[in-house]
């Protein structure tokens, strides 16, 4: 739905829906209306987690697009009529460990010292 997100999705709407963001300020704009994950990540996780497209909450699974390298405000044209504006990287939520234990750690990257790299490979909003 134009300017709102994907009909039936928990993040549909002009203002934030994620509990922690609603608690901080329920009137802030919703930058998480459409969630994209690249199928190459699913391929990488397949042997350890058997995760299929759509199971980590993404609305669209891409192939051959380096989502993590797209600059903020990039426009993606999906099908004949949808245009998605990239607003940033998604932080994986601990809820994905309830789906598959250890999955959250698997989608995060760490440097040589073991520190979390915030430009992870999980997906884009």
């Amino acid at each position: 739905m134009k300017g709102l997100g994907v009909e039936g999705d928990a993040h549909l709407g002009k203002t934030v829906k994620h509990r922690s963001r609603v608690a901080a300020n329920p009137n802030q704009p919703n930058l998480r209306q459409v969630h994209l994950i690249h199928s190459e990540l699913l391929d990488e996780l397949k042997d350890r987690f058997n995760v299929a497209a759509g199971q980590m909450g993404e609305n669209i699974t891409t192939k051959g697009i380096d989502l993590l390298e797209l600059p903020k405000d990039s426009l993606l044209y999906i099908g004949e009529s949808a245009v998605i504006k990239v607003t940033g990287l998604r932080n994986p939520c601990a809820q994905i460990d309830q789906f598959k234990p250890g999955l959250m750690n698997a989608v995060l990257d760490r440097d040589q010292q073991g520190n979390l790299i915030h430009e992870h490979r999980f997906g884009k909003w």
Side-chain angles (χ1 to χ4, degrees), residues 21 34 36 84 87 89 100 103 108 120:
R21 293 183 186 275
V34 179
L36 308 168
I84 296 172
T87 58
L89 288 172
K100 300 276 183 174
L103 186 56
L108 297 173
H120 47 77

Side-chain angles (χ1 to χ4, degrees), residues 10-31:
H11 292 280
L12 178 73
K14 288 190 179 281
T15 58
V16 295
K17 304 300 177 201
H18 195 273
R19 289 177 291 191
S20 66
R21 293 183 186 275
V22 168
N25 177 0
N27 299 313
Q28 60 186 308
N30 183 8
L31 301 178

Side-chain angles (χ1 to χ4, degrees), residues 10 13 69 122 124:
E69 293 299 320
F122 189 54
K124 288 273 188 175

Side-chain angles (χ1 to χ4, degrees), residues 22-79:
V22 168
N25 177 0
N27 299 313
Q28 60 186 308
N30 183 8
L31 301 178
R32 298 178 170 197
Q33 293 177 351
V34 179
H35 178 208
L36 308 168
I37 286 186
H38 47 292
S39 64
E40 293 82 0
L41 175 60
L42 300 177
D43 292 342
E44 184 181 324
L45 297 170
K46 184 172 43 179
D47 292 339
R48 294 176 287 157
F49 295 98
N50 192 25
V51 178
Q55 290 184 315
M56 288 195 287
E58 72 274 19
N59 304 111
I60 297 173
T61 306
T62 65
K63 185 172 184 75
I65 301 172
D66 193 348
L67 294 176
L68 303 182
E69 293 299 320
L70 291 176
K72 184 178 178 192
D73 296 329
S74 293
L75 297 178
L76 293 174
Y77 295 83
I78 309 295

